[in-house]
């Protein structure tokens, strides 16, 4: 499916998505490395539990009105940041998927869902850095909790569900145990501009199926 082009008059969504892109690109890189390690350790079954193709994901097709409405909300939030004024930005899963659709690096590769206080990210983990698994993917969904603690973004994985039913439980459990020990936003926090952005934010929480960013 062709990715929708962002309106020239509405650059705000893509600028804002940069920060989410940093976070989730880092998340996928870390998760792929950990998953790849365990798959490599069980190389005798690696070709069974991985796939030669990434899972097919929907790509949002927001109309111009929806993109403008989202762009206006983000622009208002960014203007408040520039003016050092209080503001709140509420993002639904649909909003996140709209932002994904505007970004070629992510469109068709990740898809969001938000249930209660957890964000789920469905996609394919590329295993190209694992010897012998070039061109292979682990398809599945990772659920996580997101919060801001002492001006530090914390992303804690809570569940990993892989699409392949042949994945041995001990491998999936080992992967999840390793992921739980990490803040998956740690690498993103090393970005100076991202750190600067976070210092202007008072709270980030997920509640009632929405991500709420407050400053």
């Amino acid at each position: 499916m062709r990715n929708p082009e962002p309106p020239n008059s509405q650059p705000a969504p893509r600028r804002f998505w940069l920060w989410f892109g940093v976070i989730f690109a880092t998340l996928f890189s870390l998760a792929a490395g950990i998953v790849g390690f365990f798959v490599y350790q069980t190389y005798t079954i690696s070709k069974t539990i991985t796939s030669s193709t990434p899972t097919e994901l929907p790509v949002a097709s927001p109309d111009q009105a929806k993109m403008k409405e989202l762009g206006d909300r983000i622009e208002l939030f960014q203007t408040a940041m520039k003016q050092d004024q209080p503001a709140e930005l509420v993002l639904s899963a649909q909003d996140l998927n709209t932002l994904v659709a505007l970004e070629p690096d992510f469109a068709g590769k990740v898809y969001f869902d938000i249930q209660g206080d957890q964000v789920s990210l469905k996609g394919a983990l590329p295993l190209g850095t694992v010897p012998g698994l070039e061109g292979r993917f682990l398809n599945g969904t990772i659920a996580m909790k997101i919060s801001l603690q002492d001006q530090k973004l914390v992303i804690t994985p809570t569940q990993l569900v892989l699409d392949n039913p042949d994945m041995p439980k001990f491998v999936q459990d080992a992967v999840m145990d390793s992921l739980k020990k990490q803040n998956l936003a740690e690498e993103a926090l090393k970005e100076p501009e991202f750190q600067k952005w976070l210092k202007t934010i008072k709270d980030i929480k997920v509640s009632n199926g929405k991500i709420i960013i407050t400053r």
Side-chain angles (χ1 to χ4, degrees):
M1 184 181 297
R2 183 176 179 272
N3 299 337
E5 293 293 331
N8 293 332
S9 61
Q10 293 296 327
R14 295 192 69 171
R15 290 202 305 269
F16 185 82
W17 175 247
L18 170 64
W19 303 128
F20 277 90
V22 167
I23 295 167
F24 290 107
T26 301
L27 187 156
F28 263 75
S29 177
L30 284 171
I34 295 168
V35 173
F37 172 77
F38 284 104
V39 171
Y40 185 56
Q41 295 302 307
T42 56
Y43 67 94
T44 56
I45 56 172
S46 63
K47 294 301 174 70
T48 301
I49 63 178
T50 64
S51 173
S52 61
T53 57
T55 187
E56 275 195 42
L57 297 172
V59 177
S61 299
D63 59 26
Q64 293 294 310
K66 170 60 182 175
M67 288 192 288
K68 183 178 186 306
E69 186 274 334
L70 177 57
D72 287 346
R73 278 192 282 134
I74 292 174
E75 190 65 50
L76 284 172
F77 187 78
Q78 292 180 323
T79 297
M81 291 180 66
K82 292 175 184 177
Q83 298 175 350
D84 196 23
Q85 297 294 318
E88 182 178 88
L89 178 64
V90 179
L91 296 171
S92 65
Q94 182 182 6
D95 292 332
L96 295 181
N97 289 322
T98 295
L99 292 172
V100 169
L102 299 178
E103 179 49 62
D105 289 341
F106 291 92
K109 299 176 183 177
V110 296
Y111 195 79
F112 287 96
D113 187 27
I114 307 176
Q115 297 293 332
D117 64 349
Q118 296 197 56
V119 177
S120 293
L121 182 64
K122 184 174 180 61
L125 299 179
L127 300 173
T129 59
V130 182
L133 294 179
E134 294 84 356
R136 307 292 296 183
F137 298 84
L138 276 177
N139 300 318
T141 302
I142 185 168
M144 66 206 100
K145 289 193 174 184
I146 301 174
S147 63
L148 191 66
Q149 300 176 16
D150 298 323
Q151 298 301 120
K152 180 179 180 180
L153 183 67
V154 176
I155 299 178
T156 306
T158 59
Q159 186 179 29
L160 176 67
V161 178
L162 299 174
D163 291 350
N164 196 314
D166 295 323
M167 166 66 81
K169 187 176 185 301
F170 79 91
V171 175
Q172 184 159 308
D173 289 346
V175 171
M176 193 64 237
D177 287 344
S178 291
L179 289 175
K180 282 181 177 179
K181 297 174 183 177
Q182 301 193 49
N183 172 13
L184 296 184
E186 202 63 52
E187 288 298 313
L189 293 171
K190 295 178 182 178
E191 293 286 337
E193 287 298 314
F194 186 59
Q195 289 180 1
K196 183 179 178 182
W197 181 81
L198 278 179
K199 287 179 180 178
T200 70
I201 303 300
K202 290 184 178 180
D203 190 29
I204 299 176
K205 66 180 180 180
V206 182
S207 178
N208 296 322
K210 304 286 179 63
I211 296 178
I212 304 168
I213 305 172
T214 307
R215 59 153 287 106

